[in-house]
Amino acid sequence: MTAIPTFTGDANPYSGGDPYADYRTGDFPFTQYADLADRQLGAGVIAANDEFFAQRENLLVPGRPEFDPEHFGHKGKIMDGWETRRRRGVSAGHPWPTAEDHDWALVRLGAPGVVRGIVVDTAHFRGNYPQAVSVEGTSVPGSPSPAELLGDDVKWTTLVPRTPVGGHAANGFAVTVEQRFTHLRVNQHPDGGIARLRVYGEVVPDPGWLAALGTFDVLALENGGQVEDASNLFYSPATNTIQPGRSRKMDDGWETRRRRDQGNDWIRYRLVAQSQIRAIEIDTAYLKGNSAGWASVSVRDGEDGADGAAGDWREILPRTRLQPDTNHRFVLASPAVGTHARVDIFPDGGISRLRLFGTPTEAGSAELTARHRELS
C-alpha cells in the first residue's frame, strides 16, 4: 500500500497566477471505481477532533478546491478544506508535539463497500499540510454515533499506514483489504490541512435491506450496480447515470461529444446481481439541445468476455425516440433476466439517468448473501 506516485515536501509558496500551475497529481488506476464518499450517496464527515481553521465538511465537497489569496477571516487564512490548529508540546522544555500526536476525522461512507483506493488531496495547502496521513476503516451496522464509533469495542483496520505526503498534491493510495467498510477514520500527523478526500471502491449492499425492498433499481450505484465501460466520456462520467435521485443540472448526467460518423454511443453496466427486470426509466433531465435522439436497452446473462459476443445481448427495449428534459417510463411485457445491461443512444448526446427496476433471482440473491457474509 504505497502512494502512486509519491509526493512529499512543501510546494512553492503561491506567487500569483493560476494556483494549479504547480499542482502535483498523477493517474490513479483505482479512480475507475465509484467514490463511496460521495455526498450524493449520503456520505458525511460526522466528527473531527479539531477544525479550528477550516471545517471538516469541506473534505467531501464535490469539485476541486478553490483558492482565494485575499480571503481571510478572524482566525486567519480561509482554506477550502479541513484544517486544524498547530499542535504544541507540553512545556517550554518540550514545545514540540510527540510522535503519537495527530488529528482525526470520522467519515461515514455513502455506500458501504470494498475500498480500492484513496486520494488525500492537499491542494493549496503548501506549507500547512500534514507531515503524514493514515486511514483506517471499520464496519458498524445501523447509524452509529461518533461516540459509539470511538468506543473500545470497535475494531479498526488499517487501509493506509502512516505515510508521508506532499503539499499542494493529490496523494493516492491503492488499498488491497478485501473487507466491507461503513466508516473511515482519517488521521493527519501531527496536524495541518487536507483539502479533499476521495474513497474509490465497489458498493457491497446489505442483502437483507434489498430483500425487504422487493422490487428496486437493480442498476443503482447505491444498490451495488456498476458501470463497466462506455464509448465516450468527453463531457461527464457514465457513473452519473446510476447516481441517486434525479439530475440537478446538465453536467449531472452523461453527455458525449458530437459524432461525425455513422456510429452511436453506449454504456455497459453490471447489475447488482442476476435479476428479473420488469420496468425501465430513461431520464434526459436538463439535457435539452443535447439529449440523445433515440435509445435502446439490452441485457446479457452471465460472463462471456468483456463485451460478450453479439448474440449474447438481448434487446428488451427497441430503439425508441427520446424527448429532451423528460423522464421516459417503460413497462416490459415479461420480465427479462440478466446480469449485465447496455444502453445505446443514437447517434450521440446524452441521458441523465437509467433505472432498471426488478428483483434478484434466487441465484442472484444467494450470490449477494454469500458476498456480504464473506466481506463482513
Side-chain angles (χ1 to χ4, degrees), residues 21-339:
D22 59 341
Y23 176 68
R24 296 175 287 179
T25 187
D27 293 326
F28 305 120
F30 48 75
T31 56
Q32 63 179 299
Y33 296 101
D35 182 4
L36 303 182
D38 191 334
R39 284 287 296 165
Q40 270 193 276
L41 289 175
V45 187
I46 60 175
N49 72 306
D50 187 287
E51 46 187 329
F52 185 84
F53 287 113
Q55 295 174 322
R56 64 182 191 262
E57 288 87 356
N58 290 333
L59 284 172
L60 305 187
V61 170
R64 70 181 191 174
E66 298 179 355
F67 179 73
D68 181 351
E70 305 300 327
H71 199 190
F72 287 84
H74 294 293
K75 293 182 179 180
K77 182 72 184 71
I78 294 178
M79 298 294 292
D80 186 7
W82 168 49
E83 185 181 6
T84 65
R85 74 190 74 202
R86 299 185 188 219
R87 281 184 170 269
R88 300 300 188 218
V90 296
S91 67
H94 297 278
W96 309 280
T98 69
E100 291 74 31
D101 285 343
H102 67 278
D103 294 318
W104 54 263
L106 294 178
V107 177
R108 179 189 64 243
L109 297 180
V114 178
V115 177
R116 299 301 183 193
I118 295 173
V119 174
V120 177
D121 192 342
T122 58
H124 313 306
F125 288 91
R126 295 169 177 267
N128 52 348
Y129 61 94
Q131 180 185 33
V133 299
S134 61
V135 183
E136 303 159 281
T138 190
S139 184
V140 179
S143 303
S145 68
E148 290 170 326
L149 289 169
L150 296 173
D152 293 337
D153 58 333
V154 174
K155 176 186 176 183
W156 290 89
T157 300
T158 298
L159 305 184
V160 178
R162 182 170 175 168
T163 306
V165 294
H168 196 42
N171 301 275
F173 304 89
V175 178
T176 58
V177 180
E178 289 292 325
Q179 187 176 330
R180 179 182 185 267
F181 295 104
T182 61
H183 297 76
L184 300 187
R185 182 163 60 191
V186 181
N187 306 303
Q188 48 178 339
H189 308 266
D191 54 35
I194 298 171
R196 296 288 188 268
L197 177 74
R198 303 295 186 236
V199 183
Y200 297 97
E202 300 176 61
V203 176
V204 180
D206 179 353
W209 172 255
L210 295 183
L213 292 179
T215 297
F216 58 90
D217 182 2
V218 296
L219 193 57
L221 178 60
E222 61 188 324
N223 294 334
Q226 299 178 41
V227 169
E228 289 193 330
D229 200 4
S231 61
N232 188 275
L233 303 172
F234 189 82
Y235 285 114
S236 46
T239 305
N240 282 352
T241 61
I242 56 175
Q243 288 279 7
R246 294 199 71 198
S247 174
R248 296 168 296 177
K249 53 183 180 174
M250 191 176 74
D251 65 352
D252 190 17
W254 172 59
E255 182 188 358
T256 71
R257 68 171 73 206
R258 300 188 188 211
R259 274 190 172 268
R260 303 306 187 197
D261 58 19
Q262 299 300 304
N264 74 282
D265 289 312
W266 50 267
I267 306 174
R268 189 179 74 243
Y269 306 88
R270 177 188 292 272
L271 307 185
V272 58
Q274 185 191 60
S275 301
Q276 288 188 328
I277 302 165
R278 297 183 176 86
I280 300 171
E281 276 191 7
I282 302 176
D283 197 351
T284 58
Y286 292 97
L287 296 165
K288 298 180 179 179
N290 49 359
S291 75
W294 292 262
S296 65
V297 177
S298 304
V299 297
R300 190 180 83 227
D301 190 27
E303 298 284 355
D304 293 302
D307 294 305
D312 293 334
W313 290 99
R314 180 165 66 92
E315 194 172 69
I316 60 173
L317 179 71
R319 192 178 303 186
T320 301
R321 188 75 169 95
L322 299 182
Q323 299 300 320
D325 196 25
T326 301
N327 192 23
H328 309 74
R329 290 179 171 176
F330 310 93
V331 176
L332 302 185
S334 59
V337 175
T339 56

